[in-house]
Amino acid sequence: MRPPRARDDLRDAWTFPFPGLSIARSPPEERPTFWTRALGDPPDVYGERLRARDDSFWRAIDPFRSKLGAALCKGLRVLPIPPRARVLYLGGATGTTASHVADLVGRKGAVYVVEKSPRSFQRLLGVARRWPNLYPLLADAREPRSYLPWVPPADTLYMDIAQPEQIDLALTHAKLYLRPGGGLLLALKMPSLRRGRPGEDLLGPAVKELSRAFELTRPIPLEPFHRGHHFLTGVYRGRE
Ligand code: SAM
């Protein structure tokens, strides 16, 4: 699809908060929109807004559809998804966020997307046909060795699978796939963690457990975009 010419008012209003990454931010300040430069053609995946700039289409990350988009709106400062990165993405669903991640790593990067639901996988395949760097895998993240032959060592691990064993799976996947110094992005669904007593703190123990292997930043609550979710980022210290 041929992008129309950029509008000057948009050109002036945009900022690039992550140097070196193709992610832009537009006003208003109280509810900014974040945009990634579309690599796929045609560029829209889930009906997201599109804008033209610098001869490309840019795609708005809908914070109600994408936890990454929500975390950005809530002040995420660390985004370990640089150009050329190899990302292992667990819980790709229909490719909403995975396609934005693929935009970020660019043509020389790669995103290996694990999804266990055949129905979602069908739609993910449609996205993979348009994004040259998105590799879908129909697999269960509870069997992390099952895709070892297809996934090379990763620079970044992105997880959004809403499973009770989210923390264990993050640690196991890091051990198997993530290079020391690699990045973690984790959408943690509190209700999916083991059932606690009413009012019991589940986030604290989860963070403590993850801290064994990762240097973590402060968890970001994703309200009002996603109830009961926190977003965590971290740097992998390497195998214990
Ligand atoms: N990350 C997606 C996005 O932002 O576009 C949304 C992910 S959705 C909340 C969770 C997905 O994880 C579902 O599609 C579900 O089928 C998948 N999932 C859950 N458990 C899984 C597992 N054990 N292995 C692989 N995928 C899993």
Side-chain angles (χ1 to χ4, degrees), residues 1-177:
M1 200 189 289
R2 236 178 112 77
R5 292 188 53 195
R7 279 172 38 201
D8 283 343
D9 55 335
L10 288 170
R11 183 179 291 274
D12 291 344
W14 282 24
T15 57
F16 292 82
F18 299 95
L21 272 61
S22 68
I23 184 162
R25 182 184 196 274
S26 65
E29 288 308 310
E30 66 278 8
R31 178 64 68 84
T33 303
F34 289 84
W35 307 79
T36 58
R37 188 199 294 264
L39 203 62
D41 188 10
D44 62 317
V45 170
Y46 55 99
E48 69 274 27
R49 285 188 290 152
L50 298 175
R51 290 278 185 273
R53 188 191 154 112
D54 300 337
D55 295 330
S56 301
F57 275 113
W58 290 70
R59 311 165 53 220
I61 315 178
D62 182 340
F64 288 98
R65 301 284 300 276
S66 165
K67 283 153 212 140
L68 177 62
L72 286 161
C73 290
K74 295 289 304 279
L76 183 73
R77 295 275 174 275
V78 182
L79 191 55
I81 314 178
R84 297 169 177 259
R86 281 194 297 232
V87 179
L88 174 57
Y89 189 120
L90 306 179
T94 54
T96 298
T97 303
S99 58
H100 285 294
V101 172
D103 288 343
L104 284 167
V105 301
R107 277 181 201 285
K108 294 192 173 159
V111 186
Y112 298 86
V113 188
V114 175
E115 173 53 52
K116 75 166 184 185
S117 151
R119 183 182 286 219
S120 298
F121 188 76
Q122 275 304 318
R123 290 183 55 195
L124 186 62
L125 277 178
V127 178
R129 280 188 204 106
R130 291 186 279 142
W131 263 256
N133 58 353
L134 194 153
Y135 302 97
L137 298 150
L138 181 61
D140 190 328
R142 289 170 301 185
E143 293 166 20
R145 289 180 182 275
S146 64
Y147 31 90
L148 260 177
W150 292 280
V151 180
D155 302 299
T156 302
L157 174 63
Y158 188 109
M159 278 186 68
D160 181 14
I161 55 170
Q163 289 277 339
E165 58 274 68
Q166 289 163 89
I167 304 300
D168 285 348
L169 289 177
L171 294 169
T172 311
H173 279 85
K175 221 172 204 171
L176 283 174
Y177 292 98

Side-chain angles (χ1 to χ4, degrees), residues 167 188 190 193 202-211 216 232:
I167 304 300
L188 197 57
M190 309 314 297
L193 290 172
L202 296 178
L203 180 62
V207 168
K208 190 169 171 198
E209 185 71 5
L210 278 174
S211 300
L216 295 173
L232 290 141

